[in-house]
Amino acid sequence: PEVQQAGKKNPKKQNKDAEEMSEDDSEDDDSEGDSEDGSGSDDDDSDDDDSEGDEGKSMSEDESGSSQEGEEDGSESGKGARKSKGQRQAVKKAAAAMVVGVGSLSDPAHMQGLSHYLEHMLFMGSDKFPSENEYDAYLQAHGGSSNAYTELEHTNYHFECAPDALHGALDRFAQFFLCPLFLEGALEREVCAVDSEFAGVQQTDGC
């Protein structure tokens, strides 16, 4: 009986050993599950990063494409502007000028500014074209303009207009020097105009 008792195992001790073994197995399973979960999350993060990189790359390509298109559009519009500007510059006009060898140095001592005054009065009509504004109105109607200036030793009269209006402009221009009217109603008005121009440049050293 003593031998049999020594050979028997304690059932409580067996149950305790079995419980410890099951706990060890469960801890091993949990650690393996955590490791698998960790590796899965890393894979998901890497997939997200790759997708974000692809989206950023596509957005940058779209932006670069749009910028290239904008540059091409800008270059084309610039070419169009230069072309239209060149077309405006290519418009042809006819022009003429008359230089009279009398300037401000020829003014009499008691009537300074006379040559400048006569420059103004020649625009005030002629026997053939008596209206004061006939010359200017004709030029403006044909895309032209006119002007004049008095220097020390000469006076310059000039104009420009459309080529097909040159003959009529020259006819009106020539009458300045052939038969000016010097209308009485314009005499005092042009004195004031000359005085106003002189007052505007009185402080200029080159006057």
Side-chain angles (χ1 to χ4, degrees), residues 35 41 63 69 75 166:
S35 63
S41 63
E63 291 176 356
E69 292 176 357
S75 62
L166 178 61

Side-chain angles (χ1 to χ4, degrees), residues 6 12 27 29 33 36 44 53 59 87 90 92 98 105 115 118 122 128 136-138 153 167 176 181 187 200-201 207:
K12 293 182 179 181
E27 289 177 359
D29 293 336
E36 291 177 357
D44 293 338
M59 291 176 63
Q87 289 176 350
K92 293 183 178 180
M98 170 72 78
L105 291 180
S115 58
L118 291 176
L122 291 185
K128 187 175 181 179
D136 288 335
Y138 181 85
E153 296 181 348
H167 181 77
F176 282 9
L181 288 180
L187 294 177
V201 296
C207 179

Side-chain angles (χ1 to χ4, degrees), residues 2 12 14 17 26 80 87 96 117 126 131 134 142 160 170 193:
E2 293 177 0
K12 293 182 179 181
Q14 290 178 350
D17 295 335
S26 63
Q87 289 176 350
Y117 177 70
S126 61
S131 174
E134 171 66 25
H142 295 86
E160 64 178 14
L170 282 174

Side-chain angles (χ1 to χ4, degrees), residues 1-11 13-14:
E2 293 177 0
V3 173
Q4 290 178 355
Q5 290 178 359
K8 291 181 180 180
K9 294 183 179 180
N10 190 346
K13 184 176 181 180
Q14 290 178 350

